[in-house]
Amino acid sequence: MRVLVYGSGGREHALAWKVAQEAEVVVIPGNPGIAADAECVPLPEGGFQGVADLCRSRDIDLVVVGPENPLIEGLADVLRAQGCRVYGPGAEGARLEGSKARSKELMASAGVPTAEFESFNDPSAAREYAERCFDGGAPVVVKASGAALGKGVIVCRSLAEAHEWIDRLMVRREMGDAGSTLVLERRLVGREFSLLTICSETGHHSLPLAQDYKRVGEGDTGPNTGGMGAISPVDWVSPDTVREVEDRMVTPILAELARRGVPFRGTLFTGVMVEDGIPYCLEYNVRFGDPEAQCLFPILGSGFVDALNAAAAGEPVPPVERLPAASCTVVIASPGYPGEYAKGLPILVGNPDRHVKVFHAGTRLENGRLLTSGGRVAAVTATGPTLPDARTLAYENVERFVFEGAYYRRDIGLE
Ligand code: AMP
Ligand code: GLY
């Protein structure tokens, strides 16, 4: 089978590396790290139609779309209309991630447990809601409904802060149209984990749990990022809780989408927070997590491509083998990330140990030299019999990926 992976980040490196164990892979456009594991081809001219043409000329059997933006913009619909088999939902299904207002409305219709919320198109109504919540002693979270690169969610500590963000997002449009609709919801307090499920309209299969470290600073301090590291499995979550998430968050939302005539073929990423022992759905995403993918794929065995291919065909999803190992991923970021950061710093790469994989995200080649080109530069994943083994090995290997000011959290996988 010949698989096309669409994208250029760390998640797409993990996808290409994993798929290459079981199939031929072409990646558009890829990055220098991906090019060591698979054939990379520049993004074709002609937008989504150009991608469809490339699939035909390269005899592609299955397209796996990595990031959410092309899905939200309808890449999967364009490809499907021309007979390509695609892993990734169409634009309507991708609104589960692209519109938080829509996502919360779907959760409510499907009876998915989630924080109490309301959606607003008018700042004064949003301010009144925030006032009522804070008067009742309930802090609120202000969320830009549209896609805002993970920066559109503000956990507010005071009413003044809520007012400020309603103003910045909705009135001053600091995040553009993403802020034209806001979701305000009750702040939950608890620990988070992610469940990634390979789905079709006829069945689904969930991967092992993963836990992402979203804040930039050690001890979960500082601003949110795309994710500074991940671990799997997640021992503090009980099997009963996982079953509850499957039964109350995964199955019902897929059924609700199907009821509305939206078949979902792709990854359902359920972000969960456990408050007082009760799991609540924080959000859904419609693609593999980054860096969850880099953490999970190295502990999967055979059957990955079969599962993606079955989902893309709308068939029941066969289980993917799970290796008896733990995994720890440490993200190496540019100095300053997630704020302003330098680019073009030369990188020196040493040889990784066995059971270690370095996934590239923000790197590029210039005259044969490897340089930084993004906020999150690479992710180092190590696997081992236990999480402490994986963690020790990951940190030994992080030291071998060197550039000036390289930043990483030292507490990934610690309690
Ligand atoms: P989201 O993009 O909706 O997952 O939000 C990003 C992050 O904001 C989550 O991973 C949580 O850490 C935090 N967050 C979102 N919603 C809430 C909430 N209702 N209560 C507390 N924290 C939240
Ligand atoms: N790591 C969180 C995400 O991919 O959204």
PDB file of all heavy atoms in Angstrom, residues 100 115 141 143 153 155 185-188 192 214 224 273 282-283, ligand 1:
ATOM      1  N   LYS A 100     -15.605  26.087  18.764  1.00  0.00           N
ATOM      2  CA  LYS A 100     -15.871  25.610  20.129  1.00  0.00           C
ATOM      3  C   LYS A 100     -17.350  25.749  20.468  1.00  0.00           C
ATOM      4  O   LYS A 100     -17.894  24.942  21.230  1.00  0.00           O
ATOM      5  CB  LYS A 100     -15.004  26.370  21.137  1.00  0.00           C
ATOM      6  CG  LYS A 100     -13.527  25.951  21.080  1.00  0.00           C
ATOM      7  CD  LYS A 100     -12.719  26.603  22.170  1.00  0.00           C
ATOM      8  CE  LYS A 100     -11.223  26.368  22.006  1.00  0.00           C
ATOM      9  NZ  LYS A 100     -10.799  24.977  22.170  1.00  0.00           N
ATOM     10  N   ALA A 115     -18.181  21.119  31.134  1.00  0.00           N
ATOM     11  CA  ALA A 115     -18.432  22.267  32.011  1.00  0.00           C
ATOM     12  C   ALA A 115     -19.648  23.044  31.504  1.00  0.00           C
ATOM     13  O   ALA A 115     -19.821  23.230  30.302  1.00  0.00           O
ATOM     14  CB  ALA A 115     -17.200  23.167  32.024  1.00  0.00           C
ATOM     15  N   VAL A 141     -13.985  30.423  32.361  1.00  0.00           N
ATOM     16  CA  VAL A 141     -12.961  30.327  31.328  1.00  0.00           C
ATOM     17  C   VAL A 141     -13.551  30.990  30.087  1.00  0.00           C
ATOM     18  O   VAL A 141     -14.697  30.717  29.719  1.00  0.00           O
ATOM     19  CB  VAL A 141     -12.620  28.850  31.039  1.00  0.00           C
ATOM     20  CG1 VAL A 141     -11.563  28.734  29.962  1.00  0.00           C
ATOM     21  CG2 VAL A 141     -12.163  28.159  32.313  1.00  0.00           C
ATOM     22  N   LYS A 143     -13.312  31.498  26.078  1.00  0.00           N
ATOM     23  CA  LYS A 143     -12.726  30.806  24.928  1.00  0.00           C
ATOM     24  C   LYS A 143     -13.159  31.455  23.620  1.00  0.00           C
ATOM     25  O   LYS A 143     -14.357  31.626  23.391  1.00  0.00           O
ATOM     26  CB  LYS A 143     -13.180  29.338  24.899  1.00  0.00           C
ATOM     27  CG  LYS A 143     -12.778  28.541  26.123  1.00  0.00           C
ATOM     28  CD  LYS A 143     -13.136  27.068  25.971  1.00  0.00           C
ATOM     29  CE  LYS A 143     -12.560  26.282  27.158  1.00  0.00           C
ATOM     30  NZ  LYS A 143     -12.704  24.826  26.986  1.00  0.00           N
ATOM     31  N   VAL A 153      -7.815  30.337  24.753  1.00  0.00           N
ATOM     32  CA  VAL A 153      -8.487  29.873  25.976  1.00  0.00           C
ATOM     33  C   VAL A 153      -7.853  30.567  27.170  1.00  0.00           C
ATOM     34  O   VAL A 153      -6.650  30.430  27.399  1.00  0.00           O
ATOM     35  CB  VAL A 153      -8.351  28.341  26.137  1.00  0.00           C
ATOM     36  CG1 VAL A 153      -8.921  27.888  27.477  1.00  0.00           C
ATOM     37  CG2 VAL A 153      -9.040  27.621  24.985  1.00  0.00           C
ATOM     38  N   VAL A 155      -8.132  31.041  31.264  1.00  0.00           N
ATOM     39  CA  VAL A 155      -8.692  30.663  32.557  1.00  0.00           C
ATOM     40  C   VAL A 155      -8.609  31.908  33.430  1.00  0.00           C
ATOM     41  O   VAL A 155      -7.520  32.331  33.820  1.00  0.00           O
ATOM     42  CB  VAL A 155      -7.899  29.489  33.171  1.00  0.00           C
ATOM     43  CG1 VAL A 155      -8.462  29.112  34.526  1.00  0.00           C
ATOM     44  CG2 VAL A 155      -7.901  28.283  32.222  1.00  0.00           C
ATOM     45  N   GLU A 185     -17.362  29.335  30.045  1.00  0.00           N
ATOM     46  CA  GLU A 185     -17.760  28.133  30.775  1.00  0.00           C
ATOM     47  C   GLU A 185     -17.181  28.099  32.175  1.00  0.00           C
ATOM     48  O   GLU A 185     -16.230  28.820  32.481  1.00  0.00           O
ATOM     49  CB  GLU A 185     -17.381  26.874  29.989  1.00  0.00           C
ATOM     50  CG  GLU A 185     -15.892  26.644  29.842  1.00  0.00           C
ATOM     51  CD  GLU A 185     -15.597  25.364  29.050  1.00  0.00           C
ATOM     52  OE1 GLU A 185     -16.321  25.046  28.096  1.00  0.00           O
ATOM     53  OE2 GLU A 185     -14.614  24.685  29.414  1.00  0.00           O
ATOM     54  N   ARG A 186     -17.780  27.260  32.990  1.00  0.00           N
ATOM     55  CA  ARG A 186     -17.326  27.107  34.375  1.00  0.00           C
ATOM     56  C   ARG A 186     -15.905  26.564  34.397  1.00  0.00           C
ATOM     57  O   ARG A 186     -15.566  25.675  33.615  1.00  0.00           O
ATOM     58  CB  ARG A 186     -18.242  26.126  35.112  1.00  0.00           C
ATOM     59  CG  ARG A 186     -17.837  25.871  36.559  1.00  0.00           C
ATOM     60  CD  ARG A 186     -18.875  25.050  37.291  1.00  0.00           C
ATOM     61  NE  ARG A 186     -18.865  23.634  36.949  1.00  0.00           N
ATOM     62  CZ  ARG A 186     -18.027  22.737  37.466  1.00  0.00           C
ATOM     63  NH1 ARG A 186     -17.095  23.116  38.324  1.00  0.00           N
ATOM     64  NH2 ARG A 186     -18.100  21.466  37.114  1.00  0.00           N
ATOM     65  N   ARG A 187     -15.085  27.116  35.275  1.00  0.00           N
ATOM     66  CA  ARG A 187     -13.732  26.595  35.400  1.00  0.00           C
ATOM     67  C   ARG A 187     -13.741  25.296  36.193  1.00  0.00           C
ATOM     68  O   ARG A 187     -14.298  25.220  37.281  1.00  0.00           O
ATOM     69  CB  ARG A 187     -12.832  27.597  36.122  1.00  0.00           C
ATOM     70  CG  ARG A 187     -11.384  27.124  36.121  1.00  0.00           C
ATOM     71  CD  ARG A 187     -10.485  28.141  36.761  1.00  0.00           C
ATOM     72  NE  ARG A 187     -10.192  27.749  38.125  1.00  0.00           N
ATOM     73  CZ  ARG A 187      -9.777  28.588  39.044  1.00  0.00           C
ATOM     74  NH1 ARG A 187      -9.665  29.866  38.782  1.00  0.00           N
ATOM     75  NH2 ARG A 187      -9.499  28.152  40.259  1.00  0.00           N
ATOM     76  N   LEU A 188     -13.150  24.267  35.600  1.00  0.00           N
ATOM     77  CA  LEU A 188     -13.003  22.990  36.288  1.00  0.00           C
ATOM     78  C   LEU A 188     -11.633  22.968  36.945  1.00  0.00           C
ATOM     79  O   LEU A 188     -10.714  23.647  36.494  1.00  0.00           O
ATOM     80  CB  LEU A 188     -13.100  21.841  35.283  1.00  0.00           C
ATOM     81  CG  LEU A 188     -14.407  21.742  34.497  1.00  0.00           C
ATOM     82  CD1 LEU A 188     -14.243  20.805  33.309  1.00  0.00           C
ATOM     83  CD2 LEU A 188     -15.526  21.255  35.400  1.00  0.00           C
ATOM     84  N   GLU A 192      -5.625  16.399  33.854  1.00  0.00           N
ATOM     85  CA  GLU A 192      -6.060  16.196  32.464  1.00  0.00           C
ATOM     86  C   GLU A 192      -5.388  15.000  31.823  1.00  0.00           C
ATOM     87  O   GLU A 192      -4.242  14.688  32.136  1.00  0.00           O
ATOM     88  CB  GLU A 192      -5.672  17.418  31.627  1.00  0.00           C
ATOM     89  CG  GLU A 192      -6.459  18.659  31.923  1.00  0.00           C
ATOM     90  CD  GLU A 192      -5.995  19.829  31.051  1.00  0.00           C
ATOM     91  OE1 GLU A 192      -5.877  19.667  29.833  1.00  0.00           O
ATOM     92  OE2 GLU A 192      -5.759  20.897  31.630  1.00  0.00           O
ATOM     93  N   LYS A 214       1.006  20.932  29.003  1.00  0.00           N
ATOM     94  CA  LYS A 214       0.685  22.075  28.136  1.00  0.00           C
ATOM     95  C   LYS A 214       1.436  23.351  28.487  1.00  0.00           C
ATOM     96  O   LYS A 214       1.727  24.152  27.615  1.00  0.00           O
ATOM     97  CB  LYS A 214      -0.819  22.364  28.198  1.00  0.00           C
ATOM     98  CG  LYS A 214      -1.659  21.359  27.425  1.00  0.00           C
ATOM     99  CD  LYS A 214      -2.963  21.989  26.948  1.00  0.00           C
ATOM    100  CE  LYS A 214      -3.687  21.108  25.954  1.00  0.00           C
ATOM    101  NZ  LYS A 214      -4.339  19.951  26.551  1.00  0.00           N
ATOM    102  N   ASN A 224       0.285  28.653  28.253  1.00  0.00           N
ATOM    103  CA  ASN A 224       0.016  27.427  27.509  1.00  0.00           C
ATOM    104  C   ASN A 224       0.837  27.385  26.231  1.00  0.00           C
ATOM    105  O   ASN A 224       1.119  28.412  25.619  1.00  0.00           O
ATOM    106  CB  ASN A 224      -1.461  27.370  27.119  1.00  0.00           C
ATOM    107  CG  ASN A 224      -2.266  26.553  28.107  1.00  0.00           C
ATOM    108  OD1 ASN A 224      -1.795  25.536  28.634  1.00  0.00           O
ATOM    109  ND2 ASN A 224      -3.475  26.990  28.366  1.00  0.00           N
ATOM    110  N   MET A 273     -10.826  16.379  31.652  1.00  0.00           N
ATOM    111  CA  MET A 273     -10.354  16.791  32.975  1.00  0.00           C
ATOM    112  C   MET A 273     -11.161  16.043  34.028  1.00  0.00           C
ATOM    113  O   MET A 273     -12.394  15.969  33.925  1.00  0.00           O
ATOM    114  CB  MET A 273     -10.483  18.307  33.172  1.00  0.00           C
ATOM    115  CG  MET A 273      -9.862  18.766  34.496  1.00  0.00           C
ATOM    116  SD  MET A 273      -9.915  20.547  34.718  1.00  0.00           S
ATOM    117  CE  MET A 273      -8.428  21.095  33.902  1.00  0.00           C
ATOM    118  N   LEU A 282     -13.240  18.455  28.061  1.00  0.00           N
ATOM    119  CA  LEU A 282     -12.800  19.845  27.876  1.00  0.00           C
ATOM    120  C   LEU A 282     -12.951  20.255  26.430  1.00  0.00           C
ATOM    121  O   LEU A 282     -13.297  21.389  26.117  1.00  0.00           O
ATOM    122  CB  LEU A 282     -11.324  19.986  28.238  1.00  0.00           C
ATOM    123  CG  LEU A 282     -10.914  20.012  29.695  1.00  0.00           C
ATOM    124  CD1 LEU A 282      -9.403  20.123  29.771  1.00  0.00           C
ATOM    125  CD2 LEU A 282     -11.575  21.169  30.428  1.00  0.00           C
ATOM    126  N   GLU A 283     -12.605  19.340  25.537  1.00  0.00           N
ATOM    127  CA  GLU A 283     -12.613  19.683  24.112  1.00  0.00           C
ATOM    128  C   GLU A 283     -12.485  18.403  23.300  1.00  0.00           C
ATOM    129  O   GLU A 283     -12.049  17.372  23.799  1.00  0.00           O
ATOM    130  CB  GLU A 283     -11.411  20.580  23.772  1.00  0.00           C
ATOM    131  CG  GLU A 283     -10.088  19.879  24.052  1.00  0.00           C
ATOM    132  CD  GLU A 283      -8.866  20.533  23.405  1.00  0.00           C
ATOM    133  OE1 GLU A 283      -9.034  21.389  22.516  1.00  0.00           O
ATOM    134  OE2 GLU A 283      -7.744  20.151  23.778  1.00  0.00           O
TER     135      GLU A 283
HETATM  136  P1  AMP B   1      -9.065  23.643  25.245  1.00  0.00           P
HETATM  137  O1  AMP B   1      -8.392  24.148  24.000  1.00  0.00           O
HETATM  138  O2  AMP B   1     -10.518  23.890  25.302  1.00  0.00           O
HETATM  139  O3  AMP B   1      -8.682  22.228  25.596  1.00  0.00           O
HETATM  140  O4  AMP B   1      -8.360  24.427  26.417  1.00  0.00           O
HETATM  141  C1  AMP B   1      -6.959  24.455  26.577  1.00  0.00           C
HETATM  142  C2  AMP B   1      -6.604  24.239  28.021  1.00  0.00           C
HETATM  143  O5  AMP B   1      -7.270  25.196  28.844  1.00  0.00           O
HETATM  144  C3  AMP B   1      -7.054  22.872  28.564  1.00  0.00           C
HETATM  145  O6  AMP B   1      -6.125  21.868  28.291  1.00  0.00           O
HETATM  146  C4  AMP B   1      -7.178  23.176  30.045  1.00  0.00           C
HETATM  147  O7  AMP B   1      -5.923  23.117  30.670  1.00  0.00           O
HETATM  148  C5  AMP B   1      -7.681  24.603  30.069  1.00  0.00           C
HETATM  149  N1  AMP B   1      -9.151  24.618  30.174  1.00  0.00           N
HETATM  150  C6  AMP B   1     -10.040  24.597  29.169  1.00  0.00           C
HETATM  151  N2  AMP B   1     -11.309  24.604  29.633  1.00  0.00           N
HETATM  152  C7  AMP B   1     -11.219  24.613  30.965  1.00  0.00           C
HETATM  153  C8  AMP B   1     -12.182  24.620  32.038  1.00  0.00           C
HETATM  154  N3  AMP B   1     -13.474  24.629  31.801  1.00  0.00           N
HETATM  155  N4  AMP B   1     -11.710  24.644  33.297  1.00  0.00           N
HETATM  156  C9  AMP B   1     -10.384  24.661  33.545  1.00  0.00           C
HETATM  157  N5  AMP B   1      -9.438  24.665  32.598  1.00  0.00           N
HETATM  158  C10 AMP B   1      -9.841  24.641  31.325  1.00  0.00           C
END
